[in-house]
């Protein structure tokens, strides 16, 4: 396991100093399309802050939520973002993700809430003994719904993009959820001229996606230009890898449940998307820098979520999960 200690992450400390000084990208630092995307996302974040009583930012620690958090810091500077961060933690997140989360939130002075399904964990549920669909329901869907209800959140900011997965394209930027966090794509509201309907009936809540019009390549280009720190798992390194069910899995800790004949072999790999380590596939790659990642993205023709087992267990599984209350 290759865990980078917080003490060896000066980029986070430098980033926090730049944020505190208000040193966001200047008017000439971004190309026109990124300036437009940034302005739209900041407008959406400010709309959420003004329209809802108790919004929350869903922080997954991944590249998209890192960009969304950066935009939130810009949107409300010099004040901190006027909402809490919520991380849905399964207990099987990569160790590097938790180190990064804690270091960044401490450096920026953010109010982080961590939600976890303690009852399922106490019953011994793990990604190795639970069907991936049931795992997603227990550890992601039910945990998020319980946290929304327990804290009275009426809006949740998510980092979903429309190019990420086909059911994401059915979302509006302001995506209304019915009682029980249910999503019905047929009940979504029109969004004309960047006007958003934030009204909620009893029992309803809103999911809001400020990055809807961004692409994966936009995200990486923005991270590079704004020097946003991200989890080092996104960069190619030699890691202990086992091939299983068509996925390359990094063995992140000693809880690995081995199958007969399996052994971990060192391979130079990186991740395009992050989740629970027993369910998240990596890719063979030599991209060990932001420039190399961007070059690799320009040549790629595959979805980043092809390595997420919880998203490919059956046809249209993401849409089914979203209807149940998924991110």
């Amino acid at each position: 396991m290759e865990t980078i200690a917080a003490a060896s992450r000066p980029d986070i400390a430098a980033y926090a100093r730049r944020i505190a000084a208000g040193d966001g990208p200047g008017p000439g630092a971004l190309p026109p399309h990124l300036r437009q995307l940034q302005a739209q996302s900041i407008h959406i974040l400010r709309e959420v802050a003004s329209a809802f009583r108790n919004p929350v930012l869903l922080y997954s620690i991944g590249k998209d939520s890192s960009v969304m958090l950066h935009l939130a810091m810009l949107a409300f500077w010099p004040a901190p973002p006027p909402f809490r961060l919520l991380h849905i933690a399964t207990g099987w997140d990569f160790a590097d993700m938790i180190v990064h989360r804690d270091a960044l939130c401490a450096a920026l002075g953010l109010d982080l809430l961590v939600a976890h399904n303690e009852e399922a964990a106490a019953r011994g549920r793990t990604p190795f003994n639970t069907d991936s669909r049931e795992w997603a329901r227990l550890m992601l869907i039910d945990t998020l719904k319980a946290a929304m209800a327990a804290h009275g959140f009426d809006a949740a900011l998510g980092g979903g993009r429309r190019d990420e997965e086909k059911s994401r394209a059915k979302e509006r930027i302001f995506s209304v959820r019915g009682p029980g966090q249910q999503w019905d794509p047929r009940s979504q509201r029109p969004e004309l001229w960047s006007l958003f309907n934030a009204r909620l009936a009893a029992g309803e809540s809103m999911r809001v996606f400020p990055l809807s019009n961004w692409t994966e390549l936009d995200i990486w280009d923005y991270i590079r230009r704004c020097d946003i720190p991200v989890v080092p798992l996104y960069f190619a390194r030699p890691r202990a890898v086992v091939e299983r069910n068509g996925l390359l899995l990094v063995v992140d800790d000693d809880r690995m449940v081995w199958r007969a004949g399996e052994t971990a072999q060192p391979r130079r790999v990186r991740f395009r998307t992050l989740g629970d380590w027993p369910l998240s596939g990596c890719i063979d790659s030599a991209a060990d820098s932001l420039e190399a990642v961007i070059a690799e993205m320009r040549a790629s023709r595959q979805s980043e979520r092809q390595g997420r087992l919880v998203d490919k267990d059956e046809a249209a599984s993401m849409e089914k999960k979203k209807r149940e209350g998924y991110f």
Side-chain angles (χ1 to χ4, degrees):
M1 180 177 65
E2 181 186 354
T3 302
I4 310 299
S8 67
R9 298 188 183 209
D11 57 322
I12 289 180
Y15 175 72
R17 288 193 295 271
R18 286 191 285 112
I19 290 292
D23 292 338
L30 298 175
H33 81 284
L34 284 183
R35 289 205 304 270
Q36 183 177 6
L37 289 171
Q38 176 183 261
Q40 182 190 48
S41 296
I42 287 175
H43 167 68
I44 293 166
L45 288 160
R46 290 171 176 167
E47 283 285 303
V48 169
S50 65
F52 295 98
R53 174 184 50 82
N54 188 21
V56 66
L57 188 150
L58 301 178
Y59 181 55
S60 70
I61 322 172
K63 63 185 183 304
D64 300 316
S65 63
S66 295
V67 167
M68 187 166 61
L69 176 58
H70 177 81
L71 293 165
M73 300 299 293
L74 296 182
F76 303 101
W77 189 88
F83 32 70
R84 302 181 74 177
L85 272 62
L86 172 62
H87 176 216
I88 305 301
T90 66
W92 291 83
D93 307 275
F94 286 94
D96 249 345
M97 295 174 66
I98 302 305
V99 171
H100 182 89
R101 179 198 71 185
D102 293 347
L104 186 65
C105 290
L108 296 177
L110 299 172
D111 185 6
L112 174 70
L113 172 67
V114 178
H116 176 57
N117 191 335
E118 300 282 358
E119 189 272 336
R123 287 192 285 115
R125 293 298 193 104
T126 77
F128 296 110
N129 63 21
T130 307
D131 176 80
S132 61
R133 289 167 293 181
E134 178 68 1
W135 179 256
R137 183 186 68 79
L138 287 171
M139 307 309 290
L140 300 175
I141 299 170
D142 289 355
T143 308
L144 173 60
K145 291 163 68 173
M148 293 281 291
H151 296 276
F153 296 128
D154 56 351
L157 290 152
R161 307 184 324 269
R162 286 174 179 158
D163 74 324
E164 183 180 357
E165 195 274 342
K166 59 186 179 182
S167 71
R168 298 284 196 193
K170 297 182 180 181
E171 290 275 19
R172 299 292 192 266
I173 294 175
F174 276 50
S175 180
V176 67
R177 300 298 171 100
Q181 307 292 319
Q182 300 294 308
W183 176 65
D184 183 355
R186 296 169 299 180
S187 68
Q188 299 307 299
R189 301 163 179 176
E191 293 177 342
L192 306 175
W193 307 293
S194 297
L195 298 175
F196 304 111
N197 185 345
R199 295 177 181 174
L200 296 175
E204 290 183 338
S205 63
M206 196 72 74
R207 304 288 174 83
V208 183
F209 301 97
L211 304 181
S212 285
N213 293 326
W214 297 59
T215 67
E216 184 183 9
L217 186 57
D218 292 330
I219 292 292
W220 280 116
D221 195 17
Y222 190 78
I223 287 170
R224 178 178 67 88
R225 292 174 184 273
C226 297
D227 199 19
I228 300 171
V230 293
V231 182
L233 291 162
Y234 284 119
F235 303 108
R237 302 284 189 275
R239 295 181 170 100
V241 175
V242 63
E243 187 168 355
R244 177 182 294 181
N245 298 329
L247 297 180
L248 300 178
L249 301 179
V250 168
V251 182
D252 200 57
D253 61 45
D254 58 9
R255 293 176 294 175
M256 179 69 178
V257 176
W258 298 94
R259 295 178 181 176
E262 281 186 338
T263 57
Q265 301 295 329
R267 292 174 72 154
R268 193 169 185 82
V269 297
R270 74 175 193 88
F271 290 84
R272 290 180 65 186
T273 183
L274 297 174
D276 296 334
W277 65 262
L279 302 175
S280 300
C282 56
I283 60 172
D284 289 306
S285 174
D288 58 0
S289 66
L290 284 169
E291 291 75 16
V293 166
I294 291 170
E296 188 176 86
M297 287 299 92
R298 292 187 188 278
S300 176
R301 295 296 180 266
Q302 290 189 320
S303 167
E304 66 192 281
R305 299 190 76 88
Q306 294 214 347
R308 292 285 294 275
L309 189 60
V310 294
D311 292 346
K312 56 191 290 188
D313 45 35
E314 62 175 288
S317 63
M318 173 63 86
E319 181 163 337
K320 292 178 181 179
K321 291 180 178 67
K322 286 169 65 63
R323 288 178 180 270
E324 296 170 1
Y326 193 55
F327 303 173

